[in-house]
Amino acid sequence: MSAWLALLVAAGAGQVPVEPLRQAVAAAYARRGEPLPEWDPSLARVAEQAAAARAEGLDSPERLGRRVREAGLGDPAPEGFLVEGPEPALVARALADRLPPFPGANAVGVGGARTPAGQVRAVVVRVQRKAWIFAPREVAPGGTLVLRGRLAPGLSRPALDVEGPDGRVAALPLRTDGPAVEGRVILRAPGRYVVEVMADGGRGPEVVWLYGVVAGSGGGEAAPRPVATAGGVAPERAVFEAINRLRLASGEPALAFDERLVAIARAYAEEMASLGILAHVSPRSGGLVARLARAGYGYARAGENLARGPDPMEAHRLAAGSPAHRRNMLDPTFDRCGVGVAAAVDPTGQRSFVVTELFAGG
């Protein structure tokens, strides 16, 4: 109750009362017969800030993810939804009618603001929270970051990856006791670190917690890494070239463009798009080892990155922001790569792109 009262008290000039917006979100879920996610005060702050900032970042999963991490949360794939109109009642009604489904969402926040032109803007931010892990946002250089928490039921084999200020990624031990997890990371150099926990939910590893930590003061969440747009280059080739730019900047040799891997990657991207999934293990084709075997592809080591975004380069940017996915991109034992891209449409008609990045060596 206290968090909700604080949100109501905060509503004033230039802001919008939150209660009608919350009621509209609840009405949208009730109409579909779906359980209402838990109200999250931190997500509500993210929603209110996004509404006040002209919804900046809602068009980019990476930028919205940065907002969520700046709020001290580690949810890796937040979803934002925006409604704008002339009056609060009309906006609330539109929100109740138009809020799309988000399967699996279990935490939600809503906020509103008035635009300089006097319009009312409402923003809803939802996540499918799979880990309740807590860690400080700032640690002194040379200090130890301690993260503790638990994973959602059904997750197993958690793993901890950390990307340091130099862009290098290290896999570190993670203690487990049933769903409880605990990790310790020594932040030897000042700068920004990205800390990630992955776990297996039955369809291969997935990111369940993605967190930004600063060693020293004045860091904060880093700006997005620059990734060139396709610029007329075919999307699959453009993503491949972005991977090689990242490798060269990190002192690793460029990968060879492998047409056979492209065909395998493209076929799996299209399969995931048709099935409406993003998973390393598919009910149709199985896992990576099975897909490579069916194609008769020889290798000593192989890796696979999967991502989805509003365009192929944004999907790649999301993958590059994950330490475990970045480790695949920089792995010195890989010498060739193939990228597949497929367009997907969710049940609400929202268009996105599924990207598969395959790596092989030996």
Side-chain angles (χ1 to χ4, degrees), residues 308-357:
R308 176 167 39 218
D311 61 67
M313 294 305 293
E314 179 72 11
H316 166 72
R317 190 197 297 273
L318 288 168
S322 154
H325 293 76
R326 189 177 178 89
R327 179 150 48 88
N328 271 345
M329 297 177 195
L330 298 178
D331 192 321
T333 67
F334 293 147
D335 55 23
R336 52 199 188 273
C337 173
V339 176
V341 173
V345 179
D346 68 20
T348 69
Q350 184 72 31
R351 180 182 170 92
S352 63
F353 289 86
V354 176
V355 174
T356 303
E357 300 171 349

Side-chain angles (χ1 to χ4, degrees), residues 188-218:
R188 302 186 186 280
R192 176 180 176 270
Y193 293 75
V194 180
V195 185
E196 175 182 75
V197 174
M198 299 190 73
D200 193 326
R203 289 188 173 177
E206 58 181 296
V207 180
V208 298
W209 192 71
L210 186 64
Y211 199 67
V213 180
V214 174
S217 59

